[in-house]
Amino acid sequence: YDMRFPRLYNALANAGASLMAVPAAFTVPTGEAHWHVLLRARAIETGSYVIAAAQGGQHPNGRATYGHSLVIDPWGRIVAELPHDAPGVLVAEIDPALVSDARSRIPALANARDFAIG
């Protein structure tokens, strides 16, 4: 759920984070609609890697979670994905130089401003 709050990820990146860990248990409907796009947006906005461990499967209470654990690079590219809701292990190579490159090419963190309306 926290991935819906971009200011959190901006604060983490501004504090020096270059990799964001996002554990989640999105339901199937919201996962299908929002999981990939929100995580990719957080990676792009912050120029950071996003590692999203996702609970998946059918649960005893009838709830179904989406799964699809992901690793996303600072350009928003999906580097690795478990394309299902079953248990599994996801491994991906992380290149710290991509963080510096993305942040220098798109300096959104450095150029951010507060805005007031009214």
Side-chain angles (χ1 to χ4, degrees):
Y1 184 71
D2 290 348
M3 75 182 77
R4 295 186 182 281
F5 303 98
R7 287 187 187 178
L8 168 62
Y9 296 90
N10 286 336
L12 291 168
N14 283 320
S18 59
L19 184 147
M20 315 287 183
V22 183
F26 264 47
T27 62
V28 171
T30 56
E32 288 174 347
H34 301 149
W35 180 246
H36 290 81
V37 69
L38 287 173
L39 289 167
R40 292 181 70 209
R42 299 301 82 86
I44 293 165
E45 290 167 349
T46 63
S48 302
Y49 277 93
V50 171
I51 297 176
Q55 183 184 59
Q58 194 69 34
H59 304 279
N61 65 0
R63 184 174 58 99
T65 47
Y66 184 61
H68 293 262
S69 294
L70 298 169
V71 177
I72 303 168
D73 79 6
W75 280 97
R77 295 177 291 227
I78 296 172
V79 176
E81 178 176 6
L82 289 177
H84 50 71
D85 64 2
V89 175
L90 187 61
V91 177
E93 189 170 319
I94 303 295
D95 181 0
L98 282 181
V99 173
S100 299
D101 179 62
R103 290 180 180 180
S104 68
R105 293 171 73 184
I106 302 175
L109 293 172
N111 293 332
R113 303 290 179 265
D114 288 327
F115 297 96
I117 307 290

